[in-house]
């Protein structure tokens, strides 16, 4: 039996598979309009990316893009009590 991640990765994309930087741009564009938003990987795939024109994105591709934003210090991961991981934009307060 295939996992949900394998099912998502086996779906034929409507667009060519976007490179990580394109997915990063799409997620950042969402945050530009909703800077206080936070969501799980699955939520970003199901809700955010389709609003940016990416209807079918593999879980691994989205994960890689988000992790690169985390490594760059733009996004942080928040782990909830139940283990759910949320991604949110790091908001810097100007002095």
């Amino acid at each position: 039996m295939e996992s949900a991640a394998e099912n998502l990765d086996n779906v034929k994309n409507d667009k060519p598979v976007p490179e990580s930087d394109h997915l990063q741009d799409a997620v950042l564009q969402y945050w530009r309009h909703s800077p206080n938003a936070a969501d799980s990987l699955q939520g970003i795939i199901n809700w955010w990316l389709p609003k940016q024109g990416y209807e079918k994105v593999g879980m691994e591709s989205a994960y890689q893009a988000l992790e690169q934003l985390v490594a760059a210090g733009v996004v942080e991961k928040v782990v909830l009590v139940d283990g759910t991981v949320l991604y949110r934009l790091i908001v810097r307060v100007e002095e």
Side-chain angles (χ1 to χ4, degrees), residues 2 10 22 35-36 40 43 47 50 67 76-77 79 86 90:
E2 291 183 318
N10 290 331
H22 292 252
N36 296 320
S40 65
W47 299 101
E67 287 299 312
E76 68 180 337
K77 293 194 297 189
V79 181
L86 299 181
I90 295 174

Side-chain angles (χ1 to χ4, degrees), residues 6-33:
E6 291 172 76
N7 285 336
L8 283 174
D9 288 334
N10 290 331
V11 173
K12 184 178 182 292
N13 289 329
D14 293 336
K15 291 186 172 188
V17 177
E19 297 197 25
S20 183
D21 58 337
H22 292 252
L23 286 176
Q24 290 174 24
D25 289 344
V27 173
L28 290 172
Q29 182 65 26
Y30 187 91
W31 268 311
R32 282 184 194 100
H33 295 288

